[in-house]
Amino acid sequence: MIEKREFYINGQWVAPAAPRDCAVIDPSTEDACAVISLGGQADTDAAVAAAKAAFPGWAATPPAERRAIVTRILDQYEARKEEFAKAISMEMGAPIDFALEQQAPCLPWHTNNFLRAFDAIEWVRPLGAHAPDTMIAMEPIGVVGLITPWNWPVNQIALKAIPAMLAGCTCVLKPSEESPLNAMLFAEFCHDAGVPPGVFNLVNGDGMGVGAQLSSHPDVEMISFTGSTRAGRAISKAAAETLKRVTLELGGKGANVIFADADEKAVKRGVLHMMNNTGQSCNAPSRMLVERSIYDRVVEEAAEVAKAVKVGPASEHGRHIGPVVNKRQWDQIQGFIQKGIDEGARLVAGGLGLPEGMNKGYYVRPTIFADVTPGMTIEREEIFGPVLSIIPFEDEADAVKIANDTPYGLTNYVQTQDGTRANRMAMSLKSGMVEMNGKPRGAGAPFGGVKASGRAREGGIWGLEEFLEAKAISGWTGELAAE
């Protein structure tokens, strides 16, 4: 049993003001694997005060020096990456090989992309030749509250804490209480890398406690949140009173549009992408839209792919999916599967209950529904589990209509060998991202959505500039004095 009851505030580990224990559950076994403390108002206030006190000095630190400090975080990761991956695997159920190969490496991947973008920033830039005495200065916004989820925990920490610190902001992180251990290791990385006291702070807590306190705190200038659309709305309301900047990366219900001329791997790729991370990804392609002429064949192929997906404990090596994060999540997914059955969708793989041979752990059977129609619950709502809905379409216009008929707008996918049609689809789909024919986004491309998926743009130069404010200066007379 791991016990981590302290918070990282002002460069040191401190006991919470009024300790309230919280068990961290290993979803593979349903047993407690750690005990942490949840913070209260006094802890939030202490962390924000430390960040506020550190902000002037950190904002004035030369960019090259901030860069060097952040780079040293990567050295700490390299020395402890196996420990890091094991923590993620245990606390949120990611199979250990997946944690080692995809979850933990999010930290160096995003950090290196941010460093590349950081090197290209003009901190003081001319407005243009038409206004030679007007300059635009890019300045850090101030103290930022970072609220991160459990499903890709270090991915979101890297997309928030790293650019915030590079930009010259100071921050207070509230990780999910479901997966706090990796965040506490990240705090150790920051400490050992020489991040100055108060620049990075961590307070564990829940959304109703520390999350709400950060969102309404008068000394926090910005909230960066990743999580559910419901929670995003609550944060926006709480932050409105103090006129904070709020960036939200929320849910999704991505459409994967498969035309008759899609490549031979498109269906398998789509199913496996859906099952990746046990379906617990906001950008999962959870609606597979299939051209009518190949519909029956695709349904059969997709079912066979899903039936071959193995499910097993996070501690075991190999290619399989693990459990979902907790009992509440498992119950919700079972409810969605039952809804699909009740509303008339055709179950072609998986279904209710635990996978065969399992009697403990929050495991879900890889599930596929065919003959799903627009408006069904499983077609409208984000399930956040390994459940795929297959929907037929007649032509390109019909596909666009179905794909866009959703409250969400995070990622859509297109599978066709007709390049002109692919580009036309990309411009027609209402989402922050479109991925075509299995091609991933380029390094540093922005991650974010529209509509109920929020409007954050994380990663690369866009992710850095979310933490900066533009100051217009007229009457500029020359260069800054040498430091």
Side-chain angles (χ1 to χ4, degrees):
M1 177 75 70
I2 297 171
E3 296 187 4
K4 286 184 175 288
R5 291 184 168 89
E6 295 183 314
F7 304 148
Y8 187 72
I9 299 176
N10 204 29
Q12 56 187 333
W13 292 96
V14 299
R20 182 161 59 99
D21 282 354
C22 173
V24 179
I25 304 300
D26 179 343
S28 293
T29 64
E30 302 184 33
D31 297 325
C33 62
V35 176
I36 63 168
S37 286
L38 301 182
Q41 187 69 59
D43 306 300
T44 302
D45 289 346
V48 172
K52 183 178 180 180
F55 173 67
W58 183 243
T61 300
E65 188 174 332
R66 294 201 300 266
R67 187 192 198 283
I69 291 171
V70 167
T71 300
R72 292 201 294 270
I73 295 173
L74 294 181
D75 297 333
Q76 299 302 316
Y77 166 82
E78 287 298 328
R80 302 177 66 181
K81 59 185 175 184
E82 187 170 342
E83 176 187 4
F84 199 48
K86 286 181 177 178
I88 295 169
S89 177
M90 178 175 64
E91 63 190 342
M92 60 80 57
I96 185 60
D97 288 348
F98 180 72
L100 284 164
E101 296 167 10
Q102 295 192 45
Q103 287 270 6
C106 289
L107 177 55
W109 168 258
H110 289 308
T111 300
N112 283 317
N113 290 336
F114 281 126
L115 291 171
R116 185 185 304 112
F118 183 79
D119 291 340
I121 289 179
E122 284 187 272
W123 297 95
V124 181
R125 60 190 70 162
L127 176 62
H130 68 289
D133 66 348
T134 298
M135 301 295 284
I136 306 299
M138 304 303 293
E139 298 182 338
I141 193 168
V143 176
V144 297
L146 313 176
I147 304 175
T148 56
W150 48 261
N151 60 318
W152 285 90
V154 72
N155 183 75
Q156 296 308 126
I157 293 172
L159 282 169
K160 299 180 191 299
I162 295 296
M165 289 188 286
L166 282 172
C169 297
T170 56
C171 50
V172 179
L173 170 66
K174 189 213 81 69
S176 169
E177 65 274 26
E178 303 284 353
S179 58
L181 302 180
N182 72 95
M184 300 180 87
L185 284 171
F186 180 81
E188 293 180 15
F189 295 172
C190 290
H191 181 273
D192 294 344
V195 174
V199 171
F200 175 84
N201 306 274
L202 180 150
V203 178
N204 282 315
D206 55 22
M208 298 297 290
V210 175
Q213 293 156 15
L214 285 173
S215 300
S216 60
H217 202 290
D219 291 331
V220 173
E221 300 291 340
M222 172 182 171
I223 292 289
S224 178
F225 170 79
T226 299
S228 72
T229 298
R230 175 193 55 77
R233 290 191 179 101
I235 285 170
S236 294
K237 292 176 182 177
E241 189 66 29
T242 50
L243 302 177
K244 290 176 175 44
R245 178 183 295 177
V246 178
T247 60
L248 304 173
E249 199 279 283
L250 308 175
K253 194 69 179 177
N256 184 11
V257 183
I258 300 183
F259 287 94
D261 67 342
D263 68 87
E264 62 181 11
K265 297 180 180 179
V267 176
K268 182 177 182 179
R269 183 170 63 238
V271 174
L272 294 181
H273 190 171
M274 179 62 236
M275 303 303 166
N276 193 47
N277 204 39
T278 320
Q280 299 170 122
S281 298
C282 51
N283 63 340
S286 55
R287 294 182 297 152
M288 182 177 282
L289 279 54
V290 181
E291 193 165 6
R292 179 76 69 178
S293 63
I294 60 169
Y295 180 75
D296 291 340
R297 173 179 65 79
V298 168
V299 168
E300 184 178 346
E301 181 183 351
E304 291 304 311
V305 173
K307 290 172 184 176
V309 173
K310 297 179 179 179
V311 183
S315 58
E316 288 186 3
H317 291 277
R319 298 297 169 196
H320 60 278
I321 64 173
V324 295
V325 72
N326 58 30
K327 180 65 161 56
R328 181 182 67 254
Q329 193 74 13
W330 191 89
D331 286 341
Q332 288 177 348
I333 294 166
Q334 298 303 305
F336 279 117
I337 294 173
Q338 185 63 59
K339 271 283 190 182
I341 295 169
D342 294 344
E343 293 181 4
R346 177 161 57 101
L347 185 66
V348 297
L352 294 165
L354 292 167
E356 186 176 351
M358 292 183 167
N359 57 18
K360 194 175 186 182
Y362 305 126
Y363 300 99
V364 176
R365 300 169 68 190
T367 296
I368 293 186
F369 283 101
D371 303 346
V372 176
T373 57
M376 284 185 176
T377 300
I378 58 173
E379 189 269 343
R380 297 294 291 174
E381 297 193 29
E382 185 179 38
I383 297 173
F384 229 60
V387 181
L388 172 66
S389 297
I390 305 182
I391 306 162
F393 69 86
E394 301 301 332
D395 54 25
E396 184 178 327
D398 191 34
V400 170
K401 179 181 178 181
I402 295 170
N404 287 341
D405 184 20
T406 172
Y408 297 102
L410 189 57
T411 314
N412 285 307
Y413 303 82
V414 178
Q415 319 297 329
T416 176
Q417 297 304 293
D418 183 334
T420 301
R421 176 164 61 189
N423 293 342
R424 194 165 57 238
M425 287 290 295
M427 299 304 293
S428 299
L429 294 169
K430 301 302 181 185
S431 55
M433 299 171 284
V434 178
E435 297 185 14
M436 301 191 290
N437 298 316
K439 303 293 185 184
R441 291 173 297 111
F447 187 104
V450 298
K451 302 192 290 185
S453 293
R455 285 181 163 79
R457 289 298 180 270
E458 297 184 320
I461 188 64
W462 293 270
L464 281 164
E465 290 190 343
E466 283 196 330
F467 295 94
L468 297 172
E469 292 188 303
K471 175 192 286 183
I473 304 170
S474 59
W476 187 263
T477 59
E479 296 294 326
L480 288 170
E483 296 186 10

